[in-house]
Amino acid sequence: MKFARWWLALTLLLGSLNAQAVSPQQRLAAGKQRLAARQQRLAARQQRLAAKQQRLAELLAQLRIENGHILFPSIYHSFQKQLGLGAAGDSSKQLSPELQDQLRVELEAWVRISREVSGFLAAVLEVRGEAVALQAEEFAADVFQEAEKQLQDAARAYHQNQRKKARQLSERARQLYLQAQAEAIRNRLLGEARIFIQESKDMGAENYAPRTLALVETLLADVERLVNSGRYDDPNLTRRSQLLEEQARHLLSLMQVIRSFHRDKAAAEAYLLELEGGLDSLAALVNYRPRYSQGLPQVIDELSDALHSFKNELDQLREENRRLREENQALRQQVARLEKQLGRKRSLASRIQRIGEMLAPRDISVRQEGDWLVLGIDNVPFAPGSSAIPPEAEAALQAIVHALAEFAGQKVQVVVSLLGKGNPAYNQNLAQQRARALAHYFQSQLPIPDRLIETLGEARNSAGSNSRGLNRVAVKIQLPGR
């Protein structure tokens, strides 16, 4: 017996060892599978980290769009440093997932803050942009830097809910930006304009471009007068300064072209042919064929008329497109409303069908009359002269309770029609009492407020012996959306 047990244990042990035996090739394949799975997990993790890093770079770019680098430069540069972003927006840092999540939340908050503050300081930022366009950062550096400080202080005050202080600081910043504009105009633009005028005169502008020269000299005098008057907030200063810069450069360019005509007799022809080629390209866009034999001024006039007509047609098409978009939007909304109504009707029809199937075994009729769902019982066997609910009607009434629960919150009417002979006034009063008893029964089963339930008793004479003494009950439920 002991030998048999020993032999059985040895057999089981050898079987277990054989089952666990794995060839070297199988172990190598299993190892490769585990390595591949690990590499896949690492690649997926790197992709998630890269996506988060890209999101942070996008948020930093959004912060710049919302003027965060102007209003809150220290905050902006702090984020830039933490992200390790270079000028091209590429990141040289690999952040941990926890730090990425923290920076994302902070960046999203500062984007919202900068957007709100930019809205408050929109007028000042516009003046700042004009100052930058006039190169005030370089040619009025001290005033411009002071304006920047006042603007950043205004942004911080607004963020700290110090609105009165923020308004005062923003107005101060606006005045300084206007002053910086004027100084940049004085230090750069006026000097450049005088140089352009003198160079143009040296090339004979007084003889070959007298009207353009007169215009530039008039603009120069106007801008000098505005700058010297100290009226930095005059809107004409910026407009006329920009016009002066453009016209002064135009004068010099015009004289360079005219001078080239003197040096090379064929240059004028080449210039005009090049101009005609440009006009041809433009005319082709509006289906106009220039006839240069009529003279260049005539061609330009006709092309101008054609462009004007083209613009009018384009405006009409844009207006028509806008109208069609509005009509399309209205149709989409109408279709959505109809689909919603159809969905409600289908749902209602399904509910009514379900109620009909539920009440059919109780001999309760279900029909729709206009805006009402009518549940009818041919006879509730009240005791003669009594309005007490008969026990044999409990099952049918409970079925109606379930139907009422399907339309909770809807108006209910309970109508009892007493068919029989006798005193009409007595029968009418008895029918009304029975209708109220049924209403109280339904209210005892469901939370139906008094304002949503009505009762009506009717007395009808009946000559037929089969219908005498019948109590026909109709429970009417107002359908939703009616």
Side-chain angles (χ1 to χ4, degrees):
M1 187 69 179
K2 291 182 178 179
F3 177 77
R5 285 198 299 269
W6 176 82
W7 179 257
L8 177 61
L10 180 61
T11 302
L12 291 174
L13 178 61
L14 290 174
S16 175
L17 291 174
N18 288 332
Q20 294 178 5
V22 180
S23 66
Q25 292 81 2
Q26 290 175 324
R27 287 198 297 272
L28 180 61
K32 288 182 177 180
Q33 290 179 351
R34 289 194 296 272
L35 179 60
R38 182 183 179 188
Q39 289 175 341
Q40 289 179 352
R41 290 194 298 271
L42 288 175
R45 183 174 183 273
Q46 289 297 329
Q47 289 179 352
R48 291 193 296 271
L49 290 175
K52 288 185 176 182
Q53 195 80 4
Q54 178 62 27
R55 175 57 180 160
L56 291 175
E58 292 172 355
L59 284 171
L60 188 64
Q62 185 64 34
L63 181 60
R64 187 178 184 87
I65 292 173
E66 301 296 345
N67 299 306
H69 65 299
I70 298 173
L71 302 174
F72 305 102
S74 60
I75 297 294
Y76 178 83
H77 293 308
S78 174
F79 282 125
Q80 197 174 41
K81 182 178 179 180
Q82 290 182 76
L83 295 177
L85 293 176
D90 54 333
S91 177
S92 59
K93 285 187 177 181
Q94 185 63 49
L95 306 178
S96 66
E98 295 77 12
L99 183 55
Q100 285 180 331
D101 292 337
Q102 178 185 344
L103 289 176
R104 176 184 58 78
V105 172
E106 294 177 0
L107 268 169
E108 288 175 347
W110 277 105
V111 166
R112 290 192 298 270
I113 293 169
S114 296
R115 182 181 299 119
E116 181 182 355
V117 176
S118 290
F120 170 71
L121 297 171
V124 184
L125 289 169
E126 182 179 358
V127 177
R128 181 189 184 276
E130 294 172 351
V132 171
L134 291 168
Q135 301 181 30
E137 293 172 286
E138 179 181 355
F139 291 93
D142 292 342
V143 179
F144 187 86
Q145 289 303 319
E146 180 61 24
E148 293 280 88
K149 181 179 181 301
Q150 296 294 323
L151 176 65
Q152 292 158 16
D153 289 345
R156 283 192 294 270
Y158 185 87
H159 176 50
Q160 295 168 0
N161 208 28
Q162 300 174 0
R163 302 303 165 83
K164 183 177 180 180
K165 181 180 179 181
R167 284 192 294 269
Q168 294 172 347
L169 290 168
S170 66
E171 177 58 25
R172 175 61 178 159
R174 191 182 74 87
Q175 293 294 334
L176 287 169
Y177 282 127
L178 290 171
Q179 183 180 344
Q181 289 182 28
E183 289 194 13
I185 291 170
R186 179 187 294 113
N187 297 335
R188 180 189 69 86
L189 178 57
L190 295 181
E192 285 185 356
R194 292 190 186 98
I195 292 172
F196 292 154
I197 291 173
Q198 187 58 50
E199 290 181 0
S200 299
K201 285 183 176 181
D202 292 343
M203 288 186 283
E206 293 167 310
N207 295 323
Y208 295 107
R211 288 188 297 177
T212 306
L213 175 60
L215 173 61
V216 174
E217 289 180 332
T218 301
L219 288 171
L220 177 61
D222 288 346
V223 172
E224 285 181 330
R225 176 178 52 81
L226 290 171
V227 169
N228 293 331
S229 67
R231 292 159 55 189
Y232 305 133
D233 57 347
D234 191 330
N236 289 321
L237 177 59
T238 301
R239 289 197 296 267
R240 297 191 77 79
S241 298
Q242 294 171 347
L243 185 58
L244 169 62
E245 184 173 15
E246 173 60 27
Q247 289 299 326
R249 293 180 182 277
H250 173 234
L251 173 63
L252 182 59
S253 175
L254 184 62
M255 288 309 304
Q256 289 171 345
V257 171
I258 294 174
R259 189 175 183 179
S260 69
F261 292 166
H262 284 282
R263 290 197 303 265
D264 184 358
K265 301 299 182 183
E269 179 188 23
Y271 183 84
L272 290 174
L273 289 176
E274 184 179 355
L275 177 61
E276 289 177 359
L279 292 175
D280 287 338
S281 300
L282 187 60
L285 298 176
V286 292
N287 296 322
Y288 168 69
R289 188 181 185 86
R291 292 176 293 176
Y292 296 105
S293 59
Q294 296 179 343
L296 192 58
Q298 180 67 24
V299 170
I300 292 176
D301 288 342
E302 292 178 357
L303 180 57
S304 177
D305 292 340
L307 287 171
H308 184 71
S309 299
F310 179 77
K311 181 181 179 301
N312 289 338
E313 292 178 6
L314 185 61
D315 290 341
Q316 292 174 4
L317 289 174
R318 285 174 176 168
E319 178 62 24
E320 179 69 12
N321 185 45
R322 183 196 61 78
R323 185 183 63 79
L324 290 174
R325 285 200 306 269
E326 290 179 353
E327 291 180 358
N328 183 49
Q329 182 65 20
L331 288 174
R332 287 178 181 272
Q333 293 174 354
Q334 184 178 2
V335 168
R337 287 194 298 269
L338 291 175
E339 288 178 345
K340 189 175 181 180
Q341 292 175 5
L342 181 60
R344 286 198 296 263
K345 288 182 179 180
R346 287 174 176 171
S347 175
L348 181 60
S350 176
R351 293 165 70 185
I352 292 175
Q353 181 181 0
R354 186 168 62 252
I355 288 173
E357 293 171 353
M358 179 180 66
L359 299 184
R362 300 294 180 184
D363 294 327
I364 301 174
S365 63
V366 179
R367 66 183 186 276
Q368 185 175 347
E369 294 182 356
D371 297 341
W372 296 84
L373 180 65
V374 182
L375 313 179
I377 305 178
D378 284 341
N379 181 40
V380 176
F382 287 98
S386 173
S387 62
I389 302 296
E392 54 268 36
E394 284 278 350
L397 295 179
Q398 276 299 311
I400 292 179
V401 167
H402 290 303
L404 291 172
E406 285 280 335
F407 294 97
Q410 295 299 116
K411 191 173 182 180
V412 178
Q413 292 181 353
V414 181
V415 182
V416 174
S417 300
L418 178 58
L419 281 69
K421 294 184 178 181
N423 187 330
Y426 174 81
N427 289 342
Q428 168 87 26
N429 183 52
L430 182 59
Q432 181 65 38
Q433 291 178 13
R434 290 172 175 174
R436 283 199 292 268
L438 290 170
H440 291 155
Y441 176 83
F442 295 140
Q443 287 180 297
S444 70
Q445 304 295 312
L446 295 170
I448 305 176
D450 292 340
R451 60 183 176 81
L452 290 181
I453 192 164
E454 298 177 352
T455 58
L456 177 63
E458 299 175 340
R460 299 181 183 179
N461 289 326
S462 176
S465 58
N466 292 334
S467 59
R468 186 177 303 169
L470 292 180
N471 296 275
R472 289 180 177 169
V473 175
V475 178
K476 299 181 178 181
I477 307 171
Q478 190 174 36
L479 296 174
R482 308 289 175 166

